[in-house]
Amino acid sequence: MSEQKGLLERLRRGLRRTQEAFLGPLEDLLGSPRMDSGLLEELEELLITADIGVITSERILEKLRRDLGRKELSDPRRLRDYLREEIASLLGQVASREPPYPTRPWVVLFLGVNGCGKTTTIGKIAWRHRQEGKKVLLAAADTFRAAAIEQLQIWGKKAGADVVSHRPGADPSAVIFDALKAAKARQMDLLLIDTAGRLHTKRNLMEELRKVKRVIGREATEAPHEVLLVLDATMGSNSLTQAREFHQALGVTGLVLAKLDGTAKGGALIGIVDELKIPVKYLGIGEKLDDLEEFEPESFAEALLIP
Amino acid sequence: MFASLSSKLEQVFKKLRGHGRLSESNIAEALREVRLALLEADVHFLVVKSFLERVKERAVGRDVLSSLTPGQQVIKVVHEELTALMGAKAVQLSLASVPPTAIMLVGLHGSGKTTTAGKLAWLFQREGRRPLLVAADPYRPAAVDQLQALGERLQVEVHHDGTSAVEVCQNALARLRREGFDVLLADTAGRFHIDQELMEELRVIKGLLHPTEVLLVADAMTGQDAVKSASAFDAALGLTGVILTKLDGDARGGAALSIKAVTGKPIKFIGVGEKLDALEVFHPERMASRILGMGDVLTLVERMEAAIGRERAAEVEQKLREATFTLEDFKAELRQIKKMGPLDQIFSLIPGVSRLQGLPGVELEGRGLVQMEAIIDSMTVKERRNPGIIDGSRRRRIAQGSGTTVAEVNRLLKQFHQIERLMKQFLKGGKAMKMGKGMPPFPNI
Ligand SMILES: Nc1nc2c(ncn2[C@@H]2O[C@H](COP(=O)(O)OP(=O)(O)OP(=O)(O)O)[C@@H](O)[C@H]2O)c(=O)[nH]1
Ligand SMILES: [Mg+2]
C-alpha cells in the first residue's frame, strides 16, 4: 500500500497545491460573530459550489434553520460539526452489502456514462481483491469504444487478472456468456464486467444493458450479485439523473465516485443516496492501482466542507 | 438539449406573460425563479449572480415596464443576456496563414478529447485538408490504440512515436512538413488542472507546437467545477476556445453558460454523439433560443437541406402544405430523416416543441428502421395514401404480413403522425425565418 494516508489527507494536499482560493472560505464564515441571513446565504453558496444542488442544499439549510434555536448552534463555530454530521448521516443511511464470495463467482456488473471511469475502477477493484488472494476474472463487454478492450487488458495485466474478450463490435452478451462459463470452470471468486459507457438518455443502449443483465441472470443464479454505477465527481446535478435512470432500468446496488482527486467535491452524491437509498462503496482518488478507498461518510462529509 | 432548464424557464415566462402590466415585484419574483432554474442547471453561482444583476437592471428599466408587452420584453432581455453569456457570435477555428496549422486538445479525464480529435480530423478531411493525428497520451492504458483505431476508421495518419508526450510532439512536428500535412491535431492525456507536473508538460508542448488553437474539451455535464478547471487550464496555457461534449444527453447547460462567462473564451464546437460526424459549430444565439424553448430553426433548415437536398425539401413542403403527405412519402423520407440526426434531437430544434405532449424519443435505429419499412410495405396502396382507414382488422393483417405485432403497427402509425406534425411545425418556423426575422418567433404560450 502507498504511504499516503486517506482521502482527507490527500485532498488537503491536493488543495494546498491549488493556487486559487475558490470558495468563500468556511473559516471566514465561521469566524463571523453571529448567525444571520447573510451567513445562511453564504452557506447555501458553499453547499452549491460543492455540487450538492439547490434542492438538497435547501433541505439541509431548512433543517439548520429549524435547529438554530438549539443552544450550541448559536455559536457559528459549531456550524461545521453540525453540517458534517448532517451530511454524514444522510450519506450513511444505507449500509452497503457485505463483502462478496459467499457465492462463486460473485458477479459484478459495472455501468456508467461515457468517460466516467468504469474501466479504471474495475482495474483498481480487481487489484484490491487480488491482494486478498482472490481469483478475479474480467469481462471486456465494452466492444464499442475504440480500444476499450485493450485498455481493460492492460489493467488486467497490472492487477493480475485474466480478461475474457471478443473482437471489437462483438455482441456484449456473447462476451459475458463466455466469461461466465470461464469463471465457473476456473472457479473464480469474482467476475467483473466492463460495459460500454452510455448516456442514460439513449433508450436503445439502456435496453441493451437490460439484455446483458438478463443474460447474466440466465447463466448464473442470482447474478449479477452487484450492479455498480460509476459516477464522475466532476459532474454536477446530472449525476442524479444518471443514477435515477440507471437505477430504474437496472437496479443499481452500489455507487462508486471516481475522480475525487481534482477540485470537485462530488456533493451530488448526497442527493442521490438520499433519494435512491443506494449505498456508496468506493471512492476513486487517482490513476494508480491503489487509488481506491472504501467509502466513509464522516470523512467524505468533512472533505466536502474543506474550503 | 438543455430541456430541463428550458421547460423551467418557459414556466416562469408563461406566468410573466399572464400579467398585463408588470410591477417590479412581478419581475423580482420571476427572476428569483430564473435564479433557481439556473442554479439547478449547474450554472456557476457567481455567473448566476452577475447575470441576474444585469437582467434586473435592464428589465426594471423604464421602457420595459411601460411597454405594451412587458413580459415579452423581459424575455427578450433574458434572451439577449443569455446569448451574451455564451459569446454573441459563432467563432471559427483559426488556422495558420501559412500551413501547417497545429491544434492542441486539452482537458480532464474522459471529457472526450480523443473522440473530438477524431471528429476534427474528419471535419478537416472533408474540407480537403490532410490532417495528422498525434497521440500525445503515453499514460492512459490503450490511449494510443484508441486514437489509432479512430485514425484507421477515418483513414487519417496517426503519429505516436516517441518515449514521452513531448517527444511524440517533437517527432510529429518533424513529420508534418516533411510529409506535407496541413493540420496537426494533438490529443493530450486527461489530467487535473492541479497536477503541476502534467500542466507543465502541456506548456512545453504548446511552446513546441505554436498552436493556433489550444482547445479545452469539457464535458457538458460538468458541475460547479467547470469554471475552476477551465480557469486553471486557461491561466496555465492561454486557451483559445472550448469544445463542449456529450450534449446529446440531458446536460442542463451549466457548463455552456458558465465557461465562456468566466474565462472569456468562446465555445467553438459541441459534440452531439459518439460517432465521428457528431460535431456541430456552436452558435450562441441559436443555443439561447433553444434554451428559451424558441427552437432553432436555422439549424433545422441546415440539417434538412443537408439530408434531403433543397429540391426534395421543397417537394415535401408542398405536400405537407396541401396535406397530401402520405405514408408512401413517409417511407421514402425515413432514411433521409434519420440522416438529420436522432429524432429527439430534431424535435428539440422546433419552436415551442417542449410544449407538445407525448413526443417520446422516437428511435430510427437499425432494426427499427427495417421493421418500419416492412410494415409500410405490407399496407395496400389505399392504406398508405389514407392511413385513417386502417382499423383494427387491417392492423392485424398488416402485422401478420410484416412479421410484426399490432403494437408495432400502432407505434408506426403514431410516429407517422408525429413526423407529419413535426414537419408542419417546421414549415411554420421556416416561414417565419424566411420573412426575414432575425430570430425565430417566440412561442405563444
Ligand atoms: N454521447 C457522447 N459521447 C461522447 C461524446 N464525445 C465523446 N464521447 C464518449 O466519451 C467517452 C470518453 O471519450 P474519450 O474521447 O475517450 O475522452 P478523452 O478525453 O480522450 O479521455 P482520456 O484520454 O481518458 O482522458 C467515450 O466513450 C466517447 O465515445 C459526445 O459528444 N457524445
Ligand atoms: Mg484520450
Side-chain angles (χ1 to χ4, degrees), chain B residues 74-138:
Chain B
V74 175
I75 297 166
K76 188 158 170 276
V77 169
V78 172
H79 183 268
E80 284 168 13
E81 290 296 334
L82 269 183
T83 307
L85 262 194
M86 292 185 289
K89 270 210 304 253
V91 183
Q92 303 276 316
L93 277 187
S94 61
L95 303 182
S97 48
V98 185
T101 295
I103 293 175
M104 248 173 108
L105 299 179
V106 302
L108 303 181
H109 316 263
S111 64
K113 294 171 294 299
T114 307
T115 312
T116 304
K119 290 175 180 178
L120 286 173
W122 180 81
L123 214 68
F124 281 121
Q125 201 181 29
R126 223 179 33 158
E127 289 176 357
R129 293 176 212 273
R130 265 194 84 206
L132 175 66
L133 283 166
V134 179
D137 180 0

Side-chain angles (χ1 to χ4, degrees), chain B residues 360-418:
Chain B
V362 186
E363 272 170 38
L364 294 176
E365 301 301 333
R367 211 181 93 75
L369 193 63
V370 175
Q371 202 177 56
M372 282 166 99
E373 286 173 337
I375 293 175
I376 297 177
D377 282 336
S378 299
M379 296 178 182
T380 65
V381 175
K382 214 165 122 199
E383 286 165 346
R384 283 184 218 156
R385 300 218 170 128
N386 188 8
I389 63 168
I390 305 180
D391 56 11
S393 74
R394 284 177 192 262
R395 281 172 205 224
R396 274 192 296 280
R397 194 206 74 237
I398 294 168
Q400 218 160 41
S402 55
T404 58
T405 63
V406 172
E408 279 160 339
V409 174
N410 288 340
R411 216 175 61 160
L412 174 117
L413 288 170
K414 205 164 125 207
Q415 287 175 349
F416 168 69
H417 291 303
Q418 278 171 359

Side-chain angles (χ1 to χ4, degrees), chain B residues 268-332:
Chain B
K268 298 201 168 178
F269 289 97
I270 52 180
V272 292
E274 293 189 73
K275 306 234 171 74
L276 291 172
D277 60 355
L279 189 72
E280 285 181 10
V281 173
F282 180 74
H283 296 279
E285 208 225 79
R286 297 184 191 182
M287 191 55 76
S289 301
R290 279 194 213 183
I291 292 175
L292 295 183
M294 300 167 191
D296 178 0
V297 176
L298 283 173
T299 301
L300 196 57
V301 170
E302 281 170 11
R303 283 207 197 174
M304 178 122 159
E305 289 187 348
I308 68 179
R310 237 167 241 254
E311 262 168 49
R312 183 69 185 128
E315 212 173 293
V316 170
E317 176 176 344
Q318 180 83 7
K319 289 197 161 175
L320 279 171
R321 198 157 282 147
E322 293 163 359
T324 54
F325 186 77
T326 64
L327 274 164
E328 271 174 336
D329 299 302
F330 177 55
K331 189 189 153 202

Side-chain angles (χ1 to χ4, degrees), chain A:
Chain A
M1 281 287 217
S2 75
E3 86 291 1
Q4 289 159 334
K5 278 290 142 8
L7 167 71
L8 211 60
E9 189 45 39
R10 293 202 201 186
L11 273 175
R12 286 216 175 90
R13 287 194 330 150
L15 289 163
R16 232 177 283 136
R17 278 183 289 163
T18 318
Q19 301 293 316
E20 297 103 313
F22 291 118
L23 303 176
L26 189 61
E27 310 296 345
D28 281 3
L29 292 185
L30 300 178
S32 56
R34 55 199 172 76
M35 187 81 75
D36 55 17
S37 65
L39 181 59
L40 281 174
E41 206 172 283
E42 280 177 65
L43 269 181
E44 186 198 13
E45 281 171 7
L46 176 81
L47 297 181
I48 285 175
T49 339
D51 280 322
I52 293 175
V54 204
I55 294 166
T56 311
S57 298
E58 201 40 60
R59 290 249 313 280
I60 294 173
L61 292 176
E62 195 52 49
K63 179 143 192 306
L64 172 67
R65 276 189 209 105
R66 281 202 309 271
D67 291 350
L68 269 181
R70 280 184 8 215
K71 209 170 100 230
E72 69 270 33
L73 268 184
S74 58
D75 179 358
R77 271 164 300 199
R78 296 276 307 129
L79 252 186
R80 167 181 275 167
D81 296 336
Y82 173 89
L83 285 175
R84 193 195 52 226
E85 281 156 27
E86 274 309 305
I87 292 172
S89 84
L90 279 176
L91 283 168
Q93 56 185 306
V94 222
S96 120
R97 283 202 181 182
E98 283 309 295
Y101 328 121
T103 324
R104 200 189 266 180
W106 183 265
V107 182
V108 188
L109 181 65
F110 286 81
L111 321 167
V113 298
N114 314 77
C116 64
K118 280 177 298 300
T119 313
T120 312
T121 300
I122 289 173
K124 294 176 192 173
I125 293 180
W127 185 80
R128 167 175 285 246
H129 286 96
R130 290 292 297 137
Q131 295 304 99
E132 294 168 9
K134 303 296 175 190
K135 291 165 77 180
V136 183
L137 189 67
L138 311 182
D142 178 357
T143 57
F144 179 77
R145 209 208 64 203
I149 299 171
E150 288 90 331
Q151 190 183 349
L152 189 69
Q153 280 166 338
I154 295 171
W155 276 110
K157 203 169 285 164
K158 285 195 200 186
D162 285 342
V163 180
V164 175
S165 63
H166 285 188
R167 273 143 38 93
D171 180 0
S173 296
V175 180
I176 289 168
F177 183 86
D178 282 359
L180 280 164
K181 228 169 46 189
K184 278 186 236 166
R186 295 165 57 187
Q187 308 242 317
M188 290 289 163
D189 296 301
L190 204 63
L191 173 63
L192 308 179
I193 303 173
D194 191 15
T195 60
R198 66 203 71 214
L199 294 176
H200 50 289
T201 53
K202 308 264 160 131
R203 244 207 265 171
N204 52 337
L205 297 181
M206 295 299 275
E207 188 50 47
E208 179 191 271
L209 273 183
R210 268 195 292 264
K211 182 179 158 213
V212 157
K213 194 179 168 197
R214 279 197 299 274
V215 170
I216 300 173
R218 224 172 27 229
E219 297 304 317
T221 28
E222 288 179 42
H225 306 96
E226 284 223 53
V227 178
L228 294 189
L229 175 67
V230 181
L231 297 165
D232 179 335
T234 59
M235 297 299 114
S237 62
N238 196 264
S239 300
L240 176 57
T241 335
Q242 290 168 23
R244 269 189 202 131
E245 296 292 323
F246 276 106
H247 187 48
Q248 202 199 0
L250 289 131
V252 173
T253 64
L255 302 169
V256 180
L257 189 65
K259 309 191 199 173
L260 252 185
D261 45 326
T263 48
K265 298 296 182 68
L269 206 54
I270 301 171
I272 298 174
V273 173
D274 196 31
E275 178 180 320
L276 302 174
K277 312 288 182 227
I278 305 172
V280 187
K281 301 212 67 154
Y282 299 109
L283 304 177
I285 48 173
E287 294 174 87
K288 293 193 303 299
L289 277 172
D290 63 346
D291 287 331
L292 187 78
E293 297 223 331
E294 306 252 351
F295 178 69
E296 242 264 63
E298 285 281 334
S299 57
F300 182 83
E302 173 76 31
L304 212 59
L305 296 172
I306 296 176

